[in-house]
Amino acid sequence: MKSLPYFCRGEVIRGFGRGSKELGIPTANFSDSVVDNLPADISTGIYYGWACVGNGDVHKMVMSIGWNPYYKNTKKSMETHVIHTFKEDFYGEVLSVVMVGYIRPERSYDSLEALIAAINNDIEEAKVNLELAEHLKLREDNFFTSTSSTGLATTTTTTASTSQTIMNGH
Ligand code: ADP
Ligand code: RBF
Ligand code: MG
């Protein structure tokens, strides 16, 4: 995939409300503008990379892009599970991510337990792969510290325009 690493940021919106948080795997869903701006060569599936909420710390993440075949969604989503325990929800805040690698395609599972086990495997794979020097250096990228990322979270009007700003091939 020539578009990796892929940098993007946008507002965290309310998702399908299926209680993935109760399963221990909350996923921050991106606004439509981020989903609609994905380059054509970023296929649906599971990715790993780095993520940061507002101007907070950069953490490891796993992301699912697609239609969640297990639930047969009709709307394409981009959902990020940040590998960190947060004190509070961050709906409405700006999430900045860099997707650095692809893990697998999305698929349907026979049970919710099997889906959760697959996601936990993805998390373990992400944790290991992100320790590679070539990936670690992206955590330090200016993308996460630039004033544009820290200035975004203040008003919805700036969020609307900046969430369109896709920084690719950095
Ligand atoms: P929704 O269906 O609204 O996306 P979820 O159950 O997937 O609901 O929970 C997602 C929300 O949980 C995020 O939008 C965010 O505010 C919060 N959250 C708390 N911790 C995390 C985390 N580690 N990763 C992602 N989101 C988190
Ligand atoms: N949903 C699926 O239907 N099939 C999958 O293979 C799948 N893999 C996922 C992998 C990761 C790392 C994450 C964070 C989510 C994945 N999901 C998948 C989405 C999952 O169904 C969704 O987060 C919950 O249903 C909450 O909306
Ligand atoms: Mg979610």
Side-chain angles (χ1 to χ4, degrees):
M1 275 177 225
K2 64 173 170 51
S3 294
L4 294 183
Y6 182 69
F7 294 79
C8 65
R9 66 173 135 244
E11 191 182 345
V12 175
I13 61 161
R14 291 200 176 263
F16 303 101
R18 291 201 193 94
S20 48
K21 206 179 291 169
E22 283 73 37
L23 305 176
I25 314 170
T27 61
N29 293 51
F30 266 131
S31 56
D32 290 352
S33 59
V34 179
V35 183
D36 296 343
N37 274 310
L38 274 177
D41 75 302
I42 300 271
S43 59
T44 60
I46 315 307
Y47 293 81
Y48 63 90
W50 301 102
C52 139
V53 178
N55 59 2
D57 294 339
V58 181
H59 302 287
K60 293 176 177 177
M61 67 82 171
V62 280
M63 183 195 287
S64 169
I65 302 180
W67 289 272
N68 299 12
Y70 181 80
Y71 291 101
K72 301 188 174 66
N73 286 348
T74 51
K75 191 168 178 259
K76 188 174 178 181
S77 66
M78 267 172 96
E79 309 178 33
T80 304
H81 171 68
V82 186
I83 306 175
H84 177 75
T85 304
F86 291 89
K87 289 199 190 79
E88 289 176 349
D89 285 353
F90 45 87
Y91 289 112
E93 294 207 41
V94 172
L95 178 68
S96 300
V97 304
V98 53
M99 292 152 54
V100 309
Y102 176 82
I103 301 180
R104 62 176 176 89
E106 276 195 309
R107 45 163 292 203
S108 191
Y109 290 90
D110 294 337
S111 65
L112 193 55
E113 289 68 31
L115 172 64
I116 294 168
I119 296 176
N120 281 322
N121 270 332
D122 298 332
I123 292 171
E124 290 313 309
E125 188 169 337
K127 282 183 183 169
V128 172
N129 286 357
L130 285 165
E131 290 300 322
L132 288 170
E134 60 176 302
H135 296 332
L136 280 172
K137 73 172 195 282
L138 285 165
R139 183 176 58 185
E140 315 301 331
D141 196 279
N142 284 339
F143 174 71
F144 288 119
T145 48
S146 62
T147 48
S148 60
S149 83
T150 54
L152 273 184
T154 47
T155 68
T156 46
T157 43
T158 54
T159 302
S161 58
T162 42
S163 60
Q164 307 273 354
T165 311
I166 304 299
M167 276 140 277
N168 189 20
H170 226 15

